[in-house]
Amino acid sequence: MDLLPGESPQILSKHKQRFRSLKLVNVNDDAVLSETPYGVDYGRLSNGLTYYVRSNSKPRMRAALALAVKVGSVLEEEEERGVAHIVEHLAFSATKKYTNHDIVKFLESIGAEFGACQNAVTSADETVYELFVPVDKPELLSQSISVLAEFSSEVRVSADDLEKERGAVLEEYRGSRNANGRMQDAHWVLMMEGSKYAERLPIGLEKVIRTVTPEIVKRFYNKWYHMQNMALIAVGDFPDTQSVVELIKTHFEDKVPALDPPLIPQFTVPSHEEPRFSSFVESEAAGSAVMLSCKVPVVELKTVKDYRNLLAESMFFHALNQRFFKLSRKNNPPYFSCSAAADVLVRPTKAYIMTSSCKQNGTTEALESMLIEHFLRNEPVVGIEYEAQLHKTLLPYITATEVSKYSENFRTSFSCVIKTIEPHAAATVDDLRTVVLKVNSFEEEGNISPWDDENIPEDIVSIEPNPGHVVQQHEYSSIGATELMLSNGMRVCYKCTDFFDDQVLFTGFSYGGLSELQEYEYFSCSMGPTIAGEIGVFGHRPSVLTDMLAGKRAEVGTSLGAYMRSFSGDCSPSDLETALQLVYQLFVTNLEPGEDDVKIVMQMAEESVRAQERDPYTAFANRPIKIGEIRKVDPFRACEYFNNCFKDPSTFTVVIVGNIDPATACPLILQYLGGIPRPPKPILNFKRDELKGLPFTFPSNVIRSCLESHGASPVFSPTMLSVELKNENMMEDVHLTGLMSKLLETKILQVLRFKHGQIYSAGVSVFLGGNKPSRVGNIRGDISVNFSCDPEISATLVNLALDEILHLQEEGPTDADVSAILEIEQRAYENGLQENYHWLERILRSYQSRIYSGDVGASFKIQDEGRTRVRNSLTPVTAQSALQRIIPFPCKKQYTVVILMPQSSHLKKLKSFISSRDAKILVGVAGSAVLALSLWRYSRRAANS
């Protein structure tokens, strides 16, 4: 993220997203692009700080702020490895003006939640601090900019400050030592070999994090954090940009520039003609994989020709990835998935990367296929019709030859690095070298066969259905929605918005799901979407459909839950017809799996199960699926059940939200949704109050147990507290539960990270989807507290978290605590009102609410009134009462804790933490409830409210 003048390719490249709506312009390939960012108030202060300010009215009354610093881990000396990242942490901890994480508290007090709205990232080349803040009060923007000014030059580095933050940084380091982290680090070192980048991973070295002195940290900060190395970016709902510029000057202009600051050195990444090979064996790897990376120098975006090349490059990757997808869906495919992309790794180097996941012992076969596919030899790979509206001026003139030339960047003589990842050693470096020589020989001799394209039908729907008609229509002016009852029984509710010009979202749901099945057929039927998806649930095979949808933005997916079946889609307004055609095809397609279909899907499923067996988190989160269970799946029954799930339109309610014109959309709705034939007899037509419930119970005592990981993954510790909401207080208690979970998260984070400095992050989540969607009875669920930590102190930290929850139950929160969570909730609510996803979810929830009785507007109103009552009545006393009522009180008498412990940490260390009796109880509970809990989690969106 390089935002200083003359070096802003990332900013400029994003402008291509806006070309669709621009008029054609006269261009010359040699024309130089302006160095001044488009539509931005840009400048430089006398002390060297660069600023960019842009007005953007969406979302309303919000601003995104960033301080980009051209200082990263590559600038560290040996004794500083990890210090750039430590500085980033210390910035939020203590500065000249703020102390003891008061910055975090201030930002939360204005509704900017820690993590989501205040965060930072350190990479090899830069550190970027980001804030997302409300600006509906004049002082908020000024105060937020002043926070970034503190980061720029006033970070305090005392011994106490460093010691408090050291534990959080160590925990972040430990968290990156899992299988993925180890593999990524190994690949990075291989890619950067011969460069300082190879020895300067941003996370640093554990010994430096543990022992670095305040003097070393302060020296690094003072050496590199200078105004000329920084840029301030402000984008938001500003009445004018000049007033924001004046605020930037107010908070930054008095900062004195350094007299003789060191120049930021430039580090190179050496090229190499011979490919580098690595066979990485990782016992916890999710599966076997191959990664091929070819490094090239970063080309600055300066001319129209450079810009045109970016478009041609993106077309190349689109075409290549389509080929990979088709190959992965053939009989005995060389890999299960494969994709290619380009990415800037570090300031001087870009990489063209291909990655595939393949069957066990299949890495050499996958590598051979990947290498063969990128030798395109300039044959046409995509026509100029592809995405014809994209970049109107340049795209029609890009030739197939221009696109195909990007295959040259994948040649193994171009600084190529090839790595395999396997859970057990199979492919050797010599094996990989042999494959490269073999494919190079094929290419030199011209023995690579041209691509044989499948026949692609022109129309998704071959015979247009007879349109249905509207039986009833209701206008819900309070929420700006219209409801149509169609002649085939389907209910459709649509809401027109202007939040995003290019977005339409929709979801359809019907009651009745996996809970209605006999236990013996549950597993087969739960795989229905997976098996059906590989065959083609929309009337065409996925590999064919991919080509049919080229140039369109229309996606539809399906889901089978415990109590509901649903389909969801996302499309461009111009492609709404295509999306609705896919829904129509979903209902009229009869799936019949063939032997090849089943073979491919089950092979992929078995590889997935083997990956889960290697992943220590699988056993921790769920009961692992066994290969034997997969092999008992009846694919014909799975497809039969899936067919029945999406057959009867009269059982479905569909909600559509986005940038739609009713004059255009309604005829399409009648044609493709109203045209779905209604079966002569009801199919899976369930009444919500008569659905079968899942048989599960919550432990009524204390359970503390531990699972031992077979690898070196960090300890992970969730604490679960059961929740039960009474029917008579349902509306208020649902909102209260959400607020209380945010209160618990804030307070636990304050204790475990900001006070004791022993965790990196903590999350508190609420799940209320365990009940069947009946309109009567209480709601059961859980509140889960999650964090990772050092195994040696896991028991202590769990106890500290429980102590804090108990303290809140017995003493209540402070006025400041209540004010902060109300502000965070309000700001999130205001943001949601400007997002299609929020309205889609709210309208769906109103239909699914237990108070729904045919009037979705009334249901919506009751929920909003419940929220308002809760907010208006929330005080420290009412919050305390809610915590006593919603979760067990006192909390230490009923909870469940399960810890995932690395194998190197012996269980005897936790002798005081776990009793053998508790472990036996947990095993019993887990064994009897595994099916119920699996179904329960599936039904999360079907929460009663």
Side-chain angles (χ1 to χ4, degrees):
M1 187 173 180
D2 196 338
L3 302 178
L4 300 186
E7 301 178 358
S8 52
Q10 286 83 359
I11 287 180
L12 290 170
S13 67
K14 290 179 182 178
H15 293 344
K16 64 185 180 182
Q17 301 298 331
R18 305 191 186 97
F19 269 40
R20 230 180 232 200
S21 60
L22 298 179
K23 296 179 180 179
L24 296 179
V25 294
N26 293 321
V27 293
N28 183 307
D29 277 359
D30 296 325
V32 177
L33 297 170
S34 172
E35 291 188 358
T36 302
Y38 173 78
V40 173
D41 197 337
Y42 148 80
R44 188 191 291 269
L45 302 184
S46 58
N47 58 17
L49 177 79
T50 306
Y51 62 82
Y52 303 83
V53 181
R54 176 165 182 166
S55 291
N56 189 59
S57 60
K58 297 178 182 178
R60 293 188 297 275
M61 294 292 103
R62 294 294 183 274
L65 308 176
L67 179 70
V69 188
K70 294 179 68 172
V71 176
S73 58
V74 75
L75 297 179
E76 297 167 348
E77 301 300 333
E78 189 64 27
E79 73 275 12
E80 298 172 333
R81 292 178 65 177
V83 167
H85 181 229
I86 289 173
V87 168
E88 172 216 308
H89 274 251
L90 287 170
F92 287 92
S93 174
T95 67
K96 183 178 180 181
K97 183 178 176 182
Y98 298 91
T99 187
N100 195 28
H101 294 92
D102 286 342
I103 283 178
V104 174
K105 296 172 186 175
F106 157 68
L107 291 168
E108 288 188 332
S109 74
I110 66 173
E113 184 179 356
F114 184 67
C117 300
Q118 44 170 316
N119 216 325
V121 61
T122 301
S123 69
D125 288 316
E126 70 255 346
T127 303
V128 181
Y129 301 88
E130 299 173 308
L131 305 178
F132 183 69
V133 296
V135 290
D136 50 353
K137 300 174 184 176
E139 70 275 11
L140 296 185
L141 180 59
S142 178
Q143 290 172 323
S144 300
I145 292 175
S146 77
V147 168
L148 295 179
E150 291 284 300
F151 293 165
S152 72
S153 60
E154 308 295 345
V155 173
R156 198 178 71 187
V157 190
S158 70
D160 287 344
D161 298 328
L162 180 57
E163 208 54 43
K164 282 183 179 180
E165 206 59 33
R166 203 188 298 270
V169 178
L170 277 169
E171 184 51 41
E172 189 174 356
Y173 173 87
R174 280 188 353 92
S176 67
R177 297 305 89 201
N178 58 17
N180 284 337
R182 295 192 294 272
M183 290 186 291
Q184 289 171 4
D185 288 356
H187 189 64
W188 177 267
V189 171
L190 189 65
M191 289 278 287
M192 298 293 141
E193 185 179 326
S195 165
K196 190 178 179 183
Y197 286 109
E199 302 171 350
R200 292 298 183 267
L201 290 165
I203 195 64
L205 296 178
E206 183 178 7
K207 66 178 181 180
V208 172
I209 300 171
R210 288 188 182 277
T211 62
V212 68
T213 65
E215 290 72 27
I216 291 176
V217 177
K218 190 178 300 182
R219 183 185 67 196
F220 180 88
Y221 180 69
N222 292 336
K223 180 179 181 180
W224 297 113
Y225 270 61
H226 300 297
M227 293 298 110
Q228 66 268 37
N229 294 336
M230 302 180 187
L232 193 287
I233 304 97
V235 180
D237 188 12
F238 310 134
D240 66 278
T241 58
Q242 191 55 42
S243 62
V244 182
V245 172
E246 293 303 317
L247 286 176
I248 294 172
K249 291 179 178 178
T250 297
H251 294 291
F252 281 90
E253 205 161 36
D254 62 347
K255 296 187 179 298
V256 180
L259 293 177
D260 191 19
L263 295 176
I264 301 284
Q266 302 297 310
F267 301 95
T268 59
V269 178
S271 60
H272 48 94
E273 290 188 5
E274 291 298 317
R276 295 173 182 165
F277 300 94
S278 172
S279 296
F280 193 87
V281 179
E282 171 53 64
S283 61
E284 293 180 36
S288 298
V290 180
M291 179 179 287
L292 184 151
S293 307
C294 297
K295 295 170 289 184
V296 297
V298 171
V299 177
E300 290 188 10
L301 189 61
K302 290 186 174 181
T303 67
V304 170
K305 177 63 174 175
D306 296 332
Y307 192 85
R308 175 174 176 150
N309 289 340
L310 281 179
L311 300 183
E313 179 187 80
S314 68
M315 294 168 68
F316 164 76
F317 282 117
H318 180 89
L320 185 58
N321 284 326
Q322 280 190 263
R323 289 192 174 193
F324 286 148
F325 178 76
K326 290 181 179 181
L327 276 174
S328 71
R329 293 307 181 265
K330 289 190 174 182
N331 192 20
N332 295 318
Y335 37 69
F336 298 128
S337 66
C338 186
S339 63
D343 192 20
V344 175
L345 300 180
V346 291
R347 191 166 288 136
T349 302
K350 178 178 182 177
Y352 288 81
I353 303 170
M354 271 193 274
T355 305
S356 73
S357 63
C358 55
K359 60 189 176 185
Q360 194 168 329
N361 302 328
T363 52
T364 54
E365 181 187 358
L367 175 61
E368 181 174 336
S369 177
M370 292 162 66
L371 290 172
I372 286 176
E373 280 312 305
H374 79 253
F375 286 121
L376 305 181
R377 299 194 318 281
N378 293 334
E379 79 246 25
V381 294
V382 62
I384 61 172
E385 294 82 12
Y386 164 65
E387 205 165 0
Q389 293 181 334
L390 181 64
H391 315 316
K392 296 180 182 178
T393 301
L394 297 176
L395 186 62
Y397 301 99
I398 296 176
T399 65
T401 300
E402 285 181 86
V403 173
S404 295
K405 74 176 184 181
Y406 283 93
S407 65
E408 297 293 325
N409 290 321
F410 275 116
R411 290 197 179 276
T412 53
S413 58
F414 279 23
S415 296
C416 181
V417 175
I418 296 174
K419 181 181 76 170
T420 61
I421 300 167
E422 296 178 299
H424 307 289
T428 65
V429 166
D430 286 341
D431 293 333
L432 305 182
R433 188 175 284 112
T434 299
V435 171
V436 170
L437 294 174
K438 176 183 178 182
V439 176
N440 284 345
S441 175
F442 283 167
E443 205 277 334
E444 290 170 3
E445 297 169 4
N447 290 334
I448 297 178
S449 302
W451 182 259
D452 183 18
D453 274 322
E454 298 177 81
N455 180 43
I456 308 301
E458 292 186 7
D459 301 313
I460 293 174
V461 177
S462 56
I463 301 176
E464 289 194 351
N466 295 320
H469 60 273
V470 177
V471 177
Q472 290 181 329
Q473 179 169 331
H474 299 283
E475 301 292 337
Y476 298 108
S477 58
S478 60
I479 59 174
T482 300
E483 181 185 87
L484 308 176
M485 185 62 72
L486 305 184
S487 50
N488 61 1
M490 180 177 278
R491 179 191 289 110
V492 178
C493 179
Y494 66 83
K495 176 178 173 63
C496 309
T497 71
D498 60 357
F499 306 140
F500 299 99
D501 293 341
D502 197 42
Q503 185 181 67
V504 177
L505 307 174
F506 57 87
T507 294
F509 73 92
S510 177
Y511 288 111
L514 297 171
S515 72
E516 301 299 319
L517 296 168
Q518 297 296 318
E519 187 172 344
Y520 72 87
E521 59 180 353
Y522 156 75
F523 197 77
S524 290
C525 293
S526 69
M527 287 197 66
T530 302
I531 297 172
E534 291 300 320
I535 300 171
V537 297
F538 305 113
H540 305 278
R541 301 191 67 82
S543 58
V544 174
L545 189 65
T546 299
D547 280 340
M548 297 176 72
L549 296 177
K552 300 178 182 293
R553 195 173 74 77
E555 297 178 273
V556 178
T558 62
S559 176
L560 300 184
Y563 305 118
M564 287 186 188
R565 300 151 276 146
S566 64
F567 60 84
S568 296
D570 182 347
C571 67
S572 175
S574 59
D575 296 322
L576 178 61
E577 180 172 13
T578 299
L580 295 181
Q581 287 176 334
L582 293 175
V583 175
Y584 174 81
Q585 289 289 91
L586 172 65
F587 277 81
V588 300
T589 298
N590 252 340
L591 296 167
E592 296 182 5
E595 287 188 16
D596 288 345
D597 299 318
V598 171
K599 182 179 178 181
I600 294 172
V601 175
M602 301 316 294
Q603 186 180 28
M604 293 171 66
E606 288 192 19
E607 287 295 327
S608 177
V609 169
R610 292 190 180 97
Q612 290 179 2
E613 290 173 346
R614 292 186 292 268
D615 184 356
Y617 289 101
T618 301
F620 183 58
N622 302 288
R623 180 182 70 85
I625 299 168
K626 305 297 183 184
I627 290 290
E629 293 174 310
I630 287 288
R631 291 174 178 169
K632 291 179 182 177
V633 167
D634 182 348
F636 298 94
R637 172 58 180 142
C639 286
E640 177 189 29
Y641 179 71
F642 185 88
N643 284 334
N644 288 335
C645 283
F646 301 98
K647 193 63 66 180
D648 190 344
S650 68
T651 68
F652 277 81
T653 295
V654 182
V655 178
I656 306 173
V657 176
N659 184 20
I660 56 176
D661 176 6
T664 303
C666 285
L668 297 176
I669 290 171
L670 294 178
Q671 174 112 50
Y672 297 108
L673 299 185
I676 298 171
R678 185 171 183 172
K681 294 182 179 180
I683 300 177
L684 299 185
N685 191 350
F686 297 98
K687 295 181 180 179
R688 63 182 294 180
D689 293 323
E690 298 174 3
L691 296 175
K692 293 180 181 178
L694 297 175
F696 65 89
T697 59
F698 287 100
S700 58
N701 55 352
V702 173
I703 294 179
R704 297 172 75 121
S705 191
C706 179
L707 292 176
E708 186 176 13
S709 153
H710 55 72
S713 298
V715 71
F716 187 66
S717 177
T719 302
M720 298 182 68
L721 299 161
S722 61
V723 170
E724 185 163 7
L725 307 182
K726 304 298 183 182
N727 189 45
E728 56 269 22
N729 303 315
M730 195 62 63
M731 286 302 100
E732 287 79 5
D733 280 356
V734 167
H735 294 292
L736 262 177
T737 303
L739 286 168
M740 292 305 98
S741 70
K742 184 53 60 182
L743 172 65
L744 294 180
E745 183 174 276
T746 301
K747 299 301 290 182
I748 290 171
L749 194 63
Q750 287 177 5
V751 171
L752 299 189
R753 176 169 178 175
F754 300 151
K755 182 179 179 180
H756 294 281
Q758 296 297 336
I759 67 169
Y760 173 59
S761 65
V764 176
S765 58
V766 180
F767 177 64
L768 298 177
N771 298 74
K772 61 181 182 179
S774 170
R775 283 169 284 205
V776 296
N778 298 340
I779 287 181
R780 293 179 297 166
D782 64 67
I783 288 180
S784 179
V785 180
N786 300 276
F787 56 84
S788 66
C789 63
D790 185 335
E792 299 290 338
I793 59 172
S794 56
T796 300
L797 296 189
V798 167
N799 289 336
L800 286 173
L802 287 167
D803 287 344
E804 183 60 23
I805 297 172
L806 182 60
H807 174 77
L808 290 169
Q809 286 184 315
E810 293 179 339
E811 304 296 331
T814 65
D815 287 326
D817 293 332
V818 171
S819 177
I821 63 169
L822 284 174
E823 192 69 15
I824 290 171
E825 190 272 348
Q826 177 64 23
R827 297 306 186 179
Y829 178 77
E830 291 170 357
N831 289 341
L833 293 178
Q834 303 176 65
E835 295 178 354
N836 290 322
Y837 282 105
H838 171 88
W839 284 99
L840 178 69
E841 190 66 28
R842 284 293 311 278
I843 295 173
L844 283 170
R845 204 184 315 153
S846 296
Y847 275 113
Q848 296 165 6
S849 170
R850 61 176 56 203
I851 58 175
Y852 174 71
S853 58
D855 186 330
V856 72
S859 175
F860 201 99
K861 181 182 178 182
I862 293 172
Q863 292 186 66
D864 262 2
E865 289 174 345
R867 172 183 175 270
T868 301
R869 284 194 298 272
V870 167
R871 286 185 54 83
N872 291 342
S873 63
L874 193 65
T875 65
V877 173
T878 58
Q880 178 187 357
S881 175
L883 287 170
Q884 293 180 359
R885 185 176 72 256
I886 291 171
I887 59 178
F889 174 66
C891 65
K892 289 191 172 184
K893 288 189 175 181
Q894 185 182 343
Y895 63 87
T896 299
V897 177
V898 186
I899 290 182
L900 177 67
M901 186 71 68
Q903 203 167 39
S904 57
S905 298
H906 302 297
L907 297 185
K908 64 182 181 181
K909 294 179 180 178
L910 297 180
K911 198 168 184 180
S912 62
F913 179 63
I914 309 162
S915 73
S916 59
R917 174 178 174 274
D918 289 337
K920 291 176 182 177
I921 291 173
L922 183 65
V923 170
V925 171
S928 62
V930 63
L931 174 62
L933 288 174
S934 299
L935 290 170
W936 179 21
R937 294 293 178 185
Y938 263 120
S939 67
R940 189 180 186 105
R941 291 188 63 179
N944 291 333
S945 59

